[in-house]
């Protein structure tokens, strides 16, 4: 999803927390992504051919990035249909990659199969950063997501035994 600043929020959070992460992404310039094949190989007369050569070049890039990734973050927005994102999530799942999905709660139902393959489902980019920090060095945010409403599991269900 290239229509919001979610990548910048994650990049800034990773930098702020000094996490040892190298971030990569598909080409986020819609025009460059559409025109890469024609710019490199020459223009095509018909739109389907133009789209095919650009999509093929983007496919090489995206497949390579996913294969090289330890964790794949896939963002779905509620304004556009992100067929590419769904395909990328499926490809990452087929490769056995750890997947973090990121999307507003209002589209959870339509993403239930994608989310079932994800290790973590986040609603905002800061949750992705906090997840990465926890996975890498075990640190948790200073304040729980639910604030004062948070109750530790041991207080809710009893220490050591989930069915006291």
């Amino acid at each position: 999803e290239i229509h919001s600043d979610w990548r910048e929020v994650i990049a800034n959070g990773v930098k702020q927390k000094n996490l040892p992460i190298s971030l990569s992404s598909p080409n986020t310039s819609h025009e460059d992504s559409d025109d890469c094949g024609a710019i490199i190989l020459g223009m095509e007369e018909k739109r389907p051919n133009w789209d095919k050569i650009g999509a093929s070049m983007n496919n090489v890039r995206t497949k390579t990035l996913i294969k090289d990734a330890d964790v794949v973050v896939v963002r779905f927005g509620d304004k556009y249909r992100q067929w590419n994102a769904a395909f990328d999530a499926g490809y990452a799942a087929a490769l056995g990659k750890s997947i973090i999905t990121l999307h507003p709660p209002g589209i959870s139902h339509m993403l239930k199969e994608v989310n079932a393959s994800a290790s973590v489902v986040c609603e905002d980019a800061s949750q992705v950063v906090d997840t990465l920090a926890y996975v890498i060095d075990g640190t948790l945010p200073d304040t729980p997501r639910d604030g004062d409403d948070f109750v530790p599991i041991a207080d809710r269900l009893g220490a050591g035994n989930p069915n006291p």
Side-chain angles (χ1 to χ4, degrees):
E1 192 265 314
I2 62 171
H3 304 283
S4 65
D5 69 347
W6 69 276
R7 283 185 179 87
E8 290 80 20
V9 172
I10 292 172
N12 290 335
V14 163
K15 185 177 180 180
Q16 199 171 50
K17 291 182 182 282
N18 200 29
L19 297 173
I21 295 176
S22 174
L23 300 171
S24 62
S25 70
N27 189 337
T28 58
S29 164
H30 200 123
E31 294 79 12
D32 290 352
S33 176
D34 284 351
D35 292 339
C36 63
I39 289 170
I40 295 168
L41 301 176
M43 292 189 351
E44 292 286 326
E45 294 301 318
K46 296 181 181 177
R47 178 69 193 238
N49 295 343
W50 192 293
D51 285 346
K52 171 75 171 100
I53 62 172
S56 295
M57 284 194 178
N58 289 319
N59 189 32
V60 170
R61 177 180 168 80
T62 302
K63 277 184 173 179
T64 301
L65 293 173
I66 291 173
K67 282 181 189 176
D68 291 345
D70 294 317
V71 176
V72 177
V73 179
V74 184
R75 160 82 173 142
F76 297 91
D78 53 6
K79 187 173 180 183
Y80 300 95
R81 293 186 174 126
Q82 289 96 33
W83 310 119
N84 300 29
F87 186 85
D88 294 346
Y91 184 66
L95 292 175
K97 299 294 181 174
S98 294
I99 300 168
I100 299 173
T101 57
L102 171 60
H103 59 78
I107 60 174
S108 291
H109 176 71
M110 63 185 99
L111 292 171
K112 64 185 179 295
E113 283 79 11
V114 175
N115 287 338
S117 292
S119 298
V120 181
V121 178
C122 297
E123 295 177 3
D124 63 57
S126 67
Q127 289 178 319
V128 173
V129 174
D130 289 340
T131 298
L132 294 171
Y134 177 74
V135 168
I136 290 169
D137 60 25
T139 59
L140 290 169
D142 293 332
T143 305
R145 177 84 171 179
D146 294 321
D148 292 338
D149 292 333
F150 173 75
V151 178
I153 194 73
D155 293 349
R156 293 179 71 180
L157 300 177
N161 185 352
N163 301 306

